[in-house]
Amino acid sequence: MKKIKVNIIYLIGLLVLSLSIGLVFGAFVFNQVVNMDADLGGISIESKNYIDYSLYDYVSSSDENYNRKMRLRKDTVAILDDISLKYTASHSPTSDEQFKDGKTYYYIVNEEYEIATPENNPDYEIGGTIVKNKYYEETRTYNGIDKVNTLFNSSCANLTPTINGNEITFTNSGLTIKVTCELDSTAGVIKSAEAEATDEAIDVDYRCVIDSDGHGLTILDNAKTADEDYYSEIAATSRITCSATQGIYIDSSANSNTNNTNNNKHYLSHYGFKFTFKAEIPVYVRVHIQDAWSSVKVYPSSVKERYVTKDKVSGKTPFNVTDSDWHYDEDTNYIYLKQMYNPKNDLDSNGNFKSKSYTFNVNEAYFYQFGNIATVYTEYIDVELSFTVDIVQANRALALWGLDPSIRFS
């Protein structure tokens, strides 16, 4: 009797295990097959590509315009660097009781406010007690554009700007372009900017992208961004390596045919993602960005590499999607199509199901921002990049993803 009981328990356990494996495997196959560009249940992913907007495939490091050319995209109109802002300053006694590291304090010299340093103030010591009403903090209110230190076009030619308040005007190839900026009066950065051509005879559609530090602008041509003639497509069958810093690390020991050379290693800001699929049933779509960031510090006699956390621009990663039809989940690096895609509402003229394509661009003006710049080494940030596309039947999204995009992101 005891033996029979053991056998029954064994058989029941085996059955439960088999069912569990079958359920898990079934769910895995559903997602995995769709991701592998096969057809399942009326859903097929037809292509998945990186798109590269780099203007130059290769630039010699000895070229006098090397840095400028490396930054150019095929849709670049102009780049404005190192924009300084006008401000008014006021000073008030600090409320700090001790000197804080990284903070600027002022003191009065001949009725003028000067920056305090340990050299001119013996009692100035980080962590030391602050003499009340002796040291001040400065508050700045930014109220206009002061100067554009660098402005060049896609030919690397210098352009001359005219500044009026928050407006920057310049002429490029005979076309007058006006850039209107909105400033953060407290933080001292550019919040937003719009570019327009004042010559009504020429129909142009430009957009401005703010640099990572809030003190530069990249102006791009929307028509070229959307035109397939102005970017190349690379099959996303494997990950790519790109540079997040201005200046590209070239591994001299690597094979010249790999992604680690200047011949085909571009800036992260030059890339985008594009995929095409066909569905015969209502579906939800999401894209998973997979990125690994590494620091490469080049010393005179050695090279040190380590993984680092991704950088952010105003609290957002460079993959943040601003398209209102999509939601970017920063915690998981997933981009969700907010609403269900119903192919019956998107038929061709013959009533057949059409292929549907979506494109995402990385922040086009993004570059990794370092804190204090070291002098004993040169640092680069590389990003290993890939992405997957996940498409599910609309009525299975909640079970497979744990959420219904049309409800969660409405």
Side-chain angles (χ1 to χ4, degrees):
M1 184 67 179
K2 185 176 181 181
K3 184 176 181 181
I4 293 174
K5 184 184 292 186
V6 171
N7 288 338
I8 290 173
I9 293 174
Y10 173 77
L11 290 172
I12 291 173
L14 184 61
L15 178 60
V16 171
L17 179 61
S18 299
L19 288 173
S20 299
I21 292 173
L23 290 172
V24 173
F25 184 70
F28 176 77
V29 167
F30 181 85
N31 284 326
Q32 187 71 3
V33 169
V34 174
N35 283 340
M36 293 300 292
D37 301 344
D39 193 345
L40 181 66
I43 307 171
S44 61
I45 298 177
E46 299 177 328
S47 64
K48 189 180 71 168
N49 297 300
Y50 306 107
I51 50 178
D52 183 359
Y53 286 93
S54 303
L55 182 58
Y56 293 94
D57 289 330
Y58 173 79
V59 180
S60 170
S61 58
S62 62
D63 191 311
E64 64 177 353
N65 287 315
Y66 171 79
N67 290 325
R68 292 187 176 186
K69 287 183 177 180
M70 289 299 295
R71 291 179 59 184
L72 292 173
R73 295 164 47 104
K74 291 181 180 178
D75 54 355
T76 299
V77 176
I79 293 177
L80 297 79
D81 271 344
D82 193 15
I83 300 173
S84 56
L85 307 180
K86 295 179 180 178
Y87 65 89
T88 57
S90 60
H91 298 81
S92 57
T94 181
S95 60
D96 294 344
E97 295 182 354
Q98 295 177 319
F99 289 104
K100 295 182 179 179
D101 190 18
K103 194 169 184 177
T104 302
Y105 297 94
Y106 294 80
Y107 74 115
I108 298 176
V109 180
N110 298 326
E111 299 184 353
E112 297 287 339
Y113 291 96
E114 301 285 347
I115 295 177
T117 65
E119 289 74 23
N120 54 34
N121 293 271
D123 60 338
Y124 188 115
E125 182 180 359
I126 301 301
T129 301
I130 294 180
V131 178
K132 191 174 182 179
N133 294 326
K134 178 180 178 181
Y135 292 96
Y136 297 78
E137 293 183 31
E138 182 178 80
T139 301
R140 294 182 178 183
T141 302
Y142 296 86
N143 49 29
I145 306 293
D146 181 41
K147 185 179 180 181
V148 179
N149 289 283
T150 303
L151 170 56
F152 61 93
N153 62 13
S154 58
S155 299
C156 297
N158 290 316
L159 305 177
T160 303
T162 299
I163 299 170
N164 181 20
N166 289 352
E167 295 180 351
I168 305 168
T169 305
F170 61 93
T171 301
N172 180 41
S173 300
L175 180 65
T176 300
I177 299 172
K178 181 175 70 174
V179 179
T180 304
C181 301
E182 180 183 358
L183 308 182
D184 185 321
S185 60
T186 302
V189 296
I190 300 172
K191 289 173 56 178
S192 64
E194 295 184 356
E196 61 178 343
T198 56
D199 187 346
E200 297 180 356
I202 301 177
D203 184 20
V204 296
D205 180 17
Y206 293 159
R207 72 183 184 281
C208 290
V209 184
I210 302 171
D211 287 5
S212 308
D213 62 359
H215 290 274
L217 298 171
T218 297
I219 302 176
L220 303 168
D221 188 328
N222 283 321
K224 291 182 178 180
T225 303
D227 190 336
E228 294 182 356
D229 291 337
Y230 287 89
Y231 61 79
S232 57
E233 296 189 18
I234 307 166
T237 54
S238 61
R239 63 188 179 185
I240 57 174
T241 301
C242 42
S243 178
T245 45
Q246 289 193 51
I248 290 177
Y249 171 63
I250 303 172
D251 185 354
S252 58
S253 65
N255 186 288
S256 60
N257 293 321
T258 70
N259 276 353
N260 291 323
T261 69
N262 191 25
N263 287 314
N264 50 14
K265 186 177 181 182
H266 300 302
Y267 289 133
L268 176 62
S269 56
H270 289 175
Y271 283 103
F273 312 99
K274 181 179 180 180
F275 65 94
T276 302
F277 70 95
K278 182 180 288 186
E280 299 178 6
I281 57 174
V283 296
Y284 280 115
V285 182
R286 69 179 182 178
V287 178
H288 188 211
I289 307 298
Q290 298 166 316
D291 55 320
W293 296 63
S294 60
S295 165
V296 182
K297 293 181 178 179
V298 181
Y299 294 83
S301 59
S302 64
V303 175
K304 297 181 179 180
E305 298 185 41
R306 64 182 179 88
Y307 282 103
V308 295
T309 57
K310 76 178 69 177
D311 191 36
K312 295 184 177 182
V313 182
S314 300
K316 299 293 184 181
T317 79
F319 306 111
N320 183 51
V321 177
T322 57
D323 189 325
S324 60
D325 291 335
W326 294 80
H327 173 82
Y328 174 63
D329 185 337
E330 190 166 346
D331 292 332
T332 62
N333 239 16
Y334 274 107
I335 306 170
Y336 291 87
L337 183 63
K338 293 180 181 179
Q339 299 299 322
M340 176 183 70
Y341 173 71
N342 190 341
K344 292 183 179 179
N345 298 331
D346 195 25
L347 302 174
D348 65 19
S349 57
N350 296 320
N352 298 318
F353 294 110
K354 294 194 303 184
S355 296
K356 182 70 174 179
S357 295
Y358 287 109
T359 301
F360 303 98
N361 286 329
V362 177
N363 185 314
E364 301 96 332
Y366 171 82
F367 285 106
Y368 193 98
Q369 296 296 304
F370 291 110
N372 296 326
I373 305 299
T375 57
V376 295
Y377 60 80
T378 302
E379 185 172 9
Y380 306 89
I381 300 294
D382 280 353
V383 183
E384 292 182 353
L385 191 62
S386 64
F387 73 103
T388 61
V389 181
D390 194 2
I391 303 176
V392 298
Q393 293 171 252
N395 60 3
R396 293 285 291 153
L398 183 59
L400 294 174
W401 295 350
L403 58 86
D404 184 327
S406 62
I407 297 176
R408 176 72 66 85
F409 308 125
S410 60

